[in-house]
Amino acid sequence: MEDLEFLESYLMIEYDVDVVFGKDEVDAYYYDADCIGVNTNHDKEIQLFCLLHEAGHLIIRKRENFEQLYPHTSKKGTTQLSKIDIIREEINAWNEGRSLALMLGIKINEKRWESYWRHQVYKYVKWAADK
């Protein structure tokens, strides 16, 4: 998928971040290592969605005001406030990823995108509500 390669190149050039694809990779932005992992067990379209989302985390975390906007995120998800900040960041990372796709002219299947991101966020909501 050309969009996936284009996005990977863009992130490497603009943000100096490594993107690693693999069957054992976890879809994640490792901010302490400036690396994004994408699991290749997903189909190419979902890999693109995941890379856009992780790029959204990258963009959010590179902002100077990240600590002000998400003051409880570093609390390792143990408090109610930290869980709320984590969910906020997750939702905003999906929004940033969508904005990045629009900016770069990457066309995405809107219906599948909406379904996928909502399903992913719902996992965090369930996690946050779990005692």
Side-chain angles (χ1 to χ4, degrees):
M1 177 180 247
E2 291 177 17
D3 287 336
L4 196 55
E5 293 168 4
F6 173 66
L7 178 58
E8 177 186 8
S9 296
Y10 172 82
L11 294 172
M12 291 170 66
I13 293 165
E14 290 297 316
Y15 291 97
D16 194 28
V17 65
D18 291 321
V19 179
V20 179
F21 294 89
K23 290 188 181 301
D24 296 325
E25 285 297 319
V26 174
D27 299 317
Y29 168 52
Y30 302 100
Y31 58 90
D32 51 342
D34 261 347
C35 180
I36 293 175
V38 177
N39 188 296
T40 56
N41 291 313
H42 304 301
D43 66 44
K44 292 289 188 183
E45 185 176 41
I46 296 298
Q47 288 178 47
L48 177 63
F49 293 175
C50 292
L51 185 53
L52 284 165
H53 170 68
E54 299 309 334
H57 281 293
L58 166 70
I59 292 165
I60 288 168
R61 286 181 172 262
K62 292 286 184 183
R63 291 186 178 136
E64 285 183 24
N65 64 349
F66 173 77
E67 302 257 338
Q68 289 174 303
L69 294 174
Y70 305 91
H72 304 283
T73 301
S74 63
K75 306 286 191 286
K76 306 246 189 282
T78 57
T79 69
Q80 192 175 33
L81 290 175
S82 63
K83 288 180 178 184
I84 290 168
D85 272 0
I86 289 168
I87 291 171
R88 282 180 53 238
E89 183 184 349
E90 285 300 317
I91 292 168
N92 289 335
W94 284 106
N95 292 335
E96 286 292 337
R98 183 66 187 102
S99 294
L100 180 60
L102 288 169
M103 183 189 85
L104 295 176
I106 295 173
K107 300 218 182 310
I108 59 174
N109 177 323
E110 294 294 337
K111 188 174 180 181
R112 194 163 187 214
W113 170 268
E114 286 292 319
S115 175
Y116 191 75
W117 84 256
R118 290 174 192 277
H119 176 73
Q120 297 305 310
V121 168
Y122 184 68
K123 290 180 189 178
Y124 278 93
V125 171
K126 283 178 24 181
W127 159 80
D130 199 18
K131 300 277 178 189

